[in-house]
Amino acid sequence: MAKTDALSILESAEVKEKLKELDGNLIEAIQKDALSNRLKNTEYSGDPTSGSVVINRFKNSESAKYGTARAAGKGTKLTNNGKVTINLDTDREIIEEIENKDLKFFAVGGLAERRTKNHSKRMAAELDRAFFTLAESKAKAVTLATGVTDIEDVMEAAIQQIETTNNDWVDGVDRADIDLVLSTTAYGKLRKYVDVVDGGVGAEEAPLFHGVRVYSNTRQTADVIVMRHGSIGQPVSIDDYDAERIGLSNASAIELFYSYGTAAVTPDLIAKIVKLPVAAASTSGSGDSGTGTTGTDASTGGNS
């Protein structure tokens, strides 16, 4: 009798409700687990479920002499020359079979909850890697002055490169709008410096360094990525969890399908340092000259 009950669980209305609950838990967990979800641009028009969204980027306004619009009979038109369309063209799935024997011993609720947690972590990891791989490919190299190796000076240089950006769309960036994302090595060095200076800043989720939010990230290869918040868009569409009996078997499947797209919205506001510069060893004649202490050596590999 246990065998029949276990198989019927997946086909009942109760399990459909349970799967909806697990679906909500999955989305909530991804939002928490994926660092990219906290950094990405969400100011888009359109519905991700339609397959694409548009993120607008208007050129800065320019003042004119009083009376210019009156003489011309019209104002200046908006220039949306930074508009980015993001297609959700990466289609993924997680489909796992559950044998009836497992259902009998674990019960579908408990087993499904365990798998949901794993699914959310794997999906978050995939989204993060796509996000930061793109960020690194679009980032410009941070220019470091010769001899700049102290962690606080390196971070300041990275921040200021974004902060002082000036072009058709940007006239400087507020530090409150900048994110500093570090490898675990770089984060540890910066945190050690901060702890020594002010006794530590506690265990907050995103500590500040000179007014800029700082994150530790295991899913990037560069030691330092600095960007304006929302520089990359990554819309995601997740289908509801589903479960179905697998034909000609005594097993069922839990199925997750999702699609996403990743694109740089403001590539001019992303910079990186591939490897932290190393101070030149004090020499008495044959010491290392300290490669990586200049902007050219310390941050090569960025693309505009």
Side-chain angles (χ1 to χ4, degrees):
M1 189 65 184
K3 190 173 186 178
T4 302
D5 289 344
L7 286 174
S8 66
I9 290 175
L10 281 173
E11 299 166 357
S12 70
E14 290 182 3
V15 163
K16 290 181 180 180
E17 291 300 318
K18 181 65 175 176
L19 288 171
K20 288 181 180 179
E21 178 184 336
L22 293 176
D23 187 51
N25 292 341
L26 174 88
I27 295 173
E28 183 178 349
I30 292 169
Q31 291 173 340
K32 180 180 179 181
D33 292 339
L35 175 57
S36 55
N37 190 72
R38 285 174 271 170
L39 306 181
K40 70 182 182 180
N41 193 311
T42 57
E43 297 179 354
Y44 53 75
S45 58
D47 185 352
T49 60
S50 69
S52 66
V53 300
V54 175
I55 299 179
N56 297 308
R57 193 183 189 196
F58 294 98
K59 184 179 177 180
N60 278 336
S61 301
E62 297 288 345
S63 64
K65 183 180 178 181
Y66 176 75
T68 298
R70 183 173 181 179
K74 61 181 179 179
T76 304
K77 293 183 178 180
L78 297 177
T79 304
N80 190 15
N81 58 347
K83 179 172 65 175
V84 175
T85 298
I86 306 178
N87 296 315
L88 282 75
D89 51 8
T90 302
D91 303 313
R92 307 292 288 171
E93 66 180 38
I94 297 176
I95 300 177
E96 293 186 331
E97 296 184 14
I98 303 177
E99 289 289 340
N100 179 58
K101 180 179 179 180
D102 295 331
L103 295 179
K104 286 195 298 181
F105 289 110
F106 291 99
V108 67
L111 187 58
E113 287 171 354
R114 293 180 186 181
R115 299 318 301 158
T116 299
K117 291 179 180 178
N118 181 263
H119 296 172
S120 68
K121 290 184 179 298
R122 300 315 306 150
M123 185 174 169
E126 180 177 348
L127 294 175
D128 272 359
R129 288 195 174 93
F131 183 97
F132 291 107
T133 296
L134 181 68
E136 292 186 42
S137 72
K138 297 296 183 180
K140 293 181 175 67
V142 172
T143 301
L144 297 177
T146 301
V148 172
T149 58
D150 290 343
I151 190 67
E152 67 274 22
D153 295 329
V154 171
M155 297 303 153
E156 259 301 316
I159 292 167
Q160 289 181 28
Q161 183 151 318
I162 299 301
E163 183 181 24
T164 58
T165 302
N166 190 296
N167 55 37
D168 284 347
W169 305 282
V170 183
D171 189 6
V173 180
D174 291 340
R175 291 195 171 212
D177 295 328
I178 298 176
D179 295 318
L180 188 61
V181 190
L182 309 178
S183 68
T184 54
T185 298
Y187 184 87
K189 289 184 177 180
L190 180 61
R191 189 58 186 251
K192 183 177 180 180
Y193 164 78
V194 172
D195 288 348
V196 170
V197 171
D198 64 7
V201 292
E204 60 273 79
E205 186 175 1
L208 297 177
F209 174 75
H210 295 181
V212 174
R213 291 180 300 271
V214 182
Y215 300 90
S216 177
N217 182 32
T218 62
R219 292 164 185 153
Q220 66 186 57
T221 60
D223 274 339
V224 180
I225 299 176
V226 58
M227 66 180 83
R228 186 190 185 280
H229 191 82
S231 286
I232 293 177
Q234 192 181 63
V236 182
S237 177
I238 305 173
D239 291 344
D240 291 337
Y241 253 134
D242 196 10
E244 64 176 316
R245 176 77 176 274
I246 298 173
L248 302 178
S249 74
N250 196 22
S252 296
I254 294 180
E255 303 169 342
L256 170 65
F257 299 93
Y258 59 96
S259 302
Y260 66 92
T262 311
V265 180
T266 59
D268 50 314
L269 298 178
I270 309 173
K272 70 178 178 181
I273 299 173
V274 176
K275 291 295 180 184
L276 291 176
V278 178
S282 58
T283 65
S284 57
S286 60
D288 185 85
S289 60
T291 58
T293 60
T294 67
T296 301
D297 294 332
S299 53
T300 54
N303 297 315
S304 59

